[in-house]
């Protein structure tokens, strides 16, 4: 095909490259969320992990998934470019999902001792490591190419990102329906395998759609990666180093204390550097804006730690406490995770229009107020579960619509915080440390994943107590009562602080 024709080809008013990236990301998210939706059930049912061990593994894995894109984005920026990083990441993801499809022998409980297939578990851990590294190279970089398809002042840019965002959530919604069904009905390998097929389709779409990317995402300085060191190009050394790094991650996903220490050291070091940089290099306005941004980021840790209960305690709550029989049809507990994607697809545009309408009325709340509302909404979601739990009595199953309501409230909270979060980082960070502050944002999200696992552990049930429905239910309701108060209190504290934060922001909304 003629390159000039390809370059200017559009579909529905947007570059065709947008739809290549849309389907690539849709299938990548299909694979990621399909695997994540099955993970806790697989650990607790098939390998007979305790709730506590399952939560900690999931928390370590999720923390690494959110931390690794900081490194992958830096490598793409400085060396190999976005396109090559995405292809390499996708290959690692496909390999990781292939490994996940290997189940090995199911664990058994003999004389109170759990006997597991250790070889299968090591294959599983290494597969997780491949996925962590793959997401690191793919996730942040594919969004960057979307931005490159439009000029800085192109009015289509925002709607382009909205279309792309829909792709993410379509993938998540399809994954929770298809992968969960296959995993629970036919075997875990089928569910994980379906996720791998999704990732392979995404890789094919991206590779064959290269002409429509209009040359975007290529290395800024190709001469650097073509330079040879010890007889090999630097580009190849990067790939080799990443593969070797996968072996390090393989050990880390099994060492939760190591992940915790790394997060704590990185968090403390980042905070110390922010204070040092603000005092040493910034004028009053820039320094106060950086302080305001740091305060907001700290509150997002609280939000995501509560919100990410979805893949942890809420997943097992749906399995063990929710009445899954609706009008004679038996629901799969993992399907409830798809509610978040469904509500985002249906509510994202109304929320965006709401902020525009409020702005015209001069009633659009500041970023700080929106973050506060998000915290209150996530708290109210847990409040709905507490009400449902108490109305059903000590020994009764909780009606499924209470969990639907909780996910609706949580998603409204996400839409009040997540879409504007990264934008705020770029607007309020000093120019020379925008990249560093973006890394701090992802580090905060990674920390919240690990904290979420620790919170879930408060309602853990031992292997010997899983049949005790009354005690299990009481533990979840007590936990959600705490989270209800935590969300509401955090939101109210942020509302009280907002006038001071607005002053520190010096006019930035």
């Amino acid at each position: 095909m003629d390159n000039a024709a390809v370059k200017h080809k559009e579909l529905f008013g947007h570059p065709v490259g947008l739809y290549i990236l849309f389907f690539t990301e849709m299938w990548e998210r299909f694979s990621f969320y399909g695997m994540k939706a099955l993970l806790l059930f697989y650990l607790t049912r098939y390998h007979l992990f305790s709730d506590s061990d399952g939560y900690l593994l999931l928390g370590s894995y999720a923390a690494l998934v959110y931390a690794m894109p900081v490194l992958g984005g830096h490598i793409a920026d400085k060396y190999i470019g976005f396109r090559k990083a995405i292809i390499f990441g996708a290959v690692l993801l496909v390999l990781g999902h292939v490994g996940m499809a290997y189940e090995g022998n199911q664990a058994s409980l003999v004389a109170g001792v759990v006997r597991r297939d250790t070889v299968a578990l090591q294959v599983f851990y290494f597969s997780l490591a491949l996925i962590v590294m793959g997401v690191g190279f793919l996730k942040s970089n594919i969004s960057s190419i979307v931005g490159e398809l439009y000029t800085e002042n192109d009015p289509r840019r925002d709607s382009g990102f909205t279309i792309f965002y829909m792709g993410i959530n379509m993938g998540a919604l399809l994954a929770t329906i298809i992968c969960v069904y296959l995993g629970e009905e036919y075997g875990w390998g089928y569910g994980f395998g379906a996720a791998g097929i999704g990732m392979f389709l995404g890789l094919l779409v991206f590779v064959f759609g290269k002409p429509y990317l209009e040359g975007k995402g290529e290395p800024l300085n190709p001469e650097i990666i073509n330079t040879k060191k010890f007889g090999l190009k630097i580009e190849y050394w990067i790939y080799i180093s990443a593969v070797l790094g996968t072996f390090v991650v393989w050990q880390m996903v099994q060492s939760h204390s190591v992940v915790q220490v790394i997060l704590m050291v990185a968090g403390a070091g980042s905070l110390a550097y922010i204070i040092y940089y603000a005092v040493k290099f910034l004028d009053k306005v820039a320094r106060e804006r950086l302080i305001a941004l740091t305060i907001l980021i700290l509150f997002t840790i609280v939000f995501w730690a509560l919100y990410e209960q979805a893949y942890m305690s809420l997943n097992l709550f749906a399995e063990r406490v929710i009445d899954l029989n609706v009008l004679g049809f038996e629901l799969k507990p993992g399907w409830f995770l798809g509610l978040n994607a469904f509500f985002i697809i249906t509510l994202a545009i109304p929320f965006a229009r709401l902020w525009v309408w409020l702005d015209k009325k001069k009633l659009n709340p500041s970023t700080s107020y929106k973050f506060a509302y998000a915290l209150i909404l996530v708290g109210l979601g847990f409040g709905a579960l507490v009400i449902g739990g108490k109305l059903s009595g000590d020994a009764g199953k909780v009606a499924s619509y209470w969990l639907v309501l909780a996910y609706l409230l949580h998603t409204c909270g996400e839409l009040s915080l997540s879409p504007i979060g990264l934008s705020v980082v770029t607007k309020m960070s000093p120019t020379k440390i925008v990249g560093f502050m973006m890394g701090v944002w992802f580090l905060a999200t990674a920390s919240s994943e690990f904290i979420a696992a620790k919170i879930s552990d408060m309602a853990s049930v031992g292997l010997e107590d899983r049949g005790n429905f009354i005690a299990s239910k009481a533990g979840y309701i007590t936990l959600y009562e705490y989270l209800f108060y935590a969300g509401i209190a955090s939101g109210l504290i942020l509302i009280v602080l907002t006038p001071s934060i607005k002053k520190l922001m010096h006019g930035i909304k």
Side-chain angles (χ1 to χ4, degrees):
M1 187 180 290
D2 181 65
N3 285 337
V6 168
K7 184 174 182 179
H8 295 96
K9 197 169 182 63
E10 292 186 355
L11 182 65
F12 304 121
H14 287 273
V16 172
L18 173 66
Y19 301 99
I20 298 298
L21 298 173
F22 172 97
F23 284 108
T24 301
E25 181 70 348
M26 185 189 82
W27 285 116
E28 187 274 328
R29 291 290 89 183
F30 177 93
S31 72
F32 179 75
Y33 284 110
M35 185 275 292
K36 195 175 178 183
L38 289 170
L39 195 52
L40 191 56
F41 297 134
Y42 175 63
L43 292 172
T44 56
R45 291 189 210 166
Y46 191 77
H47 288 297
L48 295 183
F49 275 45
S50 66
D51 290 4
S52 181
D53 288 340
Y55 290 143
L56 283 173
L57 176 59
L58 188 54
S60 297
Y61 160 72
L64 291 168
V65 158
Y66 278 96
M68 200 60 72
V70 178
L71 178 60
H74 174 71
I75 291 172
D77 275 334
K78 193 169 182 180
Y79 298 104
I80 60 177
F82 302 133
R83 187 183 63 81
K84 289 184 176 183
I86 291 167
I87 291 175
F88 180 63
V91 170
L92 293 178
L93 281 163
V94 170
L95 293 174
H97 284 295
V98 168
M100 291 287 289
Y102 175 68
E103 296 179 9
N105 297 315
Q106 185 167 359
S108 58
L109 191 62
V110 180
V113 178
V114 178
R115 294 183 178 178
R116 300 188 179 99
D117 185 336
T118 54
V119 173
L121 276 173
Q122 288 303 317
V123 171
F124 166 73
Y125 292 136
F126 189 70
S127 300
L128 285 183
L130 285 168
I131 292 169
V132 167
M133 192 64 73
V135 171
F137 274 89
L138 188 147
K139 183 157 177 58
S140 60
N141 295 317
I142 196 166
S143 301
S144 300
I145 297 186
V146 175
E148 286 193 355
L149 290 174
Y150 303 91
T151 59
E152 187 174 342
N153 297 315
D154 192 328
R156 302 174 300 169
R157 174 185 284 263
D158 286 349
S159 61
F161 269 100
T162 300
I163 292 171
F164 180 72
Y165 195 56
M166 291 299 181
I168 293 173
N169 289 287
M170 280 181 61
L173 178 58
L174 289 172
T176 51
I177 295 172
I178 296 171
C179 295
V180 168
Y181 178 78
L182 291 174
E184 295 213 22
E185 286 292 316
Y186 296 100
W188 303 106
Y190 288 95
F192 290 130
I197 292 170
M199 188 63 253
F200 183 67
L201 290 173
L203 176 59
L204 290 180
V205 168
F206 188 76
V207 170
F208 287 105
K210 178 187 174 183
Y212 295 102
L213 299 180
E214 304 176 8
K216 306 299 183 185
E218 298 302 325
L220 295 177
N221 300 298
E223 64 278 3
I224 294 178
I225 60 173
N226 289 322
T227 304
K228 287 191 175 182
K229 293 286 185 181
F230 306 107
L232 276 179
K233 292 181 180 180
I234 286 179
E235 178 180 355
Y236 299 146
W237 280 118
I238 289 171
Y239 300 145
I240 291 169
S241 299
V243 171
L244 293 176
T246 302
F247 286 86
V248 177
V249 177
W250 179 23
Q251 299 307 308
M252 290 176 67
V253 294
Q254 303 175 64
S255 306
H256 315 307
S257 58
V258 173
V259 175
Q260 183 175 351
V261 169
I262 290 172
L263 290 172
M264 290 173 66
V265 171
S270 297
L271 189 59
Y273 181 76
I274 289 170
I275 294 170
Y276 165 75
Y277 193 89
V279 173
K280 183 79 173 176
F281 299 106
L282 301 180
D283 58 30
K284 182 176 183 293
V285 171
R287 180 167 56 250
E288 291 185 349
R289 283 176 175 168
L290 185 58
I291 292 170
L293 175 60
T294 304
I295 293 170
L296 291 176
I297 289 176
L298 290 173
F299 274 96
T300 66
I301 295 176
V302 180
F303 175 81
W304 292 117
L306 270 59
Y307 179 90
E308 283 299 324
Q309 293 302 305
Y311 287 91
M312 297 191 188
S313 69
L314 281 174
N315 228 2
L316 295 185
F317 177 76
E319 177 188 36
R320 298 169 181 174
V321 181
I322 291 292
D323 184 358
L324 298 173
N325 190 289
V326 178
L327 301 176
F329 183 76
E330 196 71 17
L331 301 174
K332 305 295 182 187
W335 283 348
F336 287 95
L337 293 167
L339 289 169
N340 172 247
F342 172 76
F343 287 135
I344 285 178
I345 291 170
T346 54
L347 295 177
I349 293 176
F351 259 78
R353 289 178 175 172
L354 172 64
W355 303 136
V356 173
W357 180 78
L358 288 173
D359 197 58
K360 289 179 180 178
K361 302 286 185 181
K362 300 190 184 303
L363 295 172
N364 192 15
S366 68
T367 296
S368 185
Y369 275 127
K370 289 175 182 174
F371 279 32
Y373 300 153
L375 285 161
I376 291 171
L377 284 165
V378 79
L380 289 174
F382 289 111
L385 296 178
V386 172
I387 294 171
K390 292 187 175 180
L391 287 177
S392 60
D394 291 339
K397 292 270 189 177
V398 177
S400 59
Y401 55 77
W402 289 108
L403 188 53
V404 174
L405 177 58
Y407 274 113
L408 173 61
L409 291 166
H410 285 188
T411 304
C412 289
E414 180 187 1
L415 290 170
S416 300
L417 181 146
S418 185
I420 56 175
L422 294 177
S423 175
V424 168
V425 174
T426 59
K427 287 190 291 187
M428 292 175 60
S429 300
T431 306
K432 291 185 178 179
I433 60 166
V434 171
F436 170 76
M437 291 307 296
M438 196 67 77
V440 171
W441 174 272
F442 282 112
L443 177 63
T445 306
S447 300
S448 69
E449 293 281 355
F450 198 85
I451 294 169
K454 291 289 190 179
I455 291 172
S456 292
D457 197 25
M458 294 170 64
S460 289
V461 177
L463 285 173
E464 66 283 357
D465 294 324
R466 286 183 184 173
N468 188 339
F469 174 80
I470 294 176
S472 178
K473 178 182 177 180
Y476 288 116
I477 299 305
T478 300
L479 171 62
Y480 297 152
E481 197 164 3
Y482 290 147
L483 299 186
F484 164 71
Y485 290 123
I488 299 295
S490 301
L492 292 176
I493 290 170
L494 188 51
I495 286 174
V496 172
L497 293 175
T498 289
S500 299
I501 292 173
K502 286 179 69 176
K503 289 180 181 177
L504 294 173
M505 293 171 74
H506 292 280
I508 291 180
K509 294 184 177 180

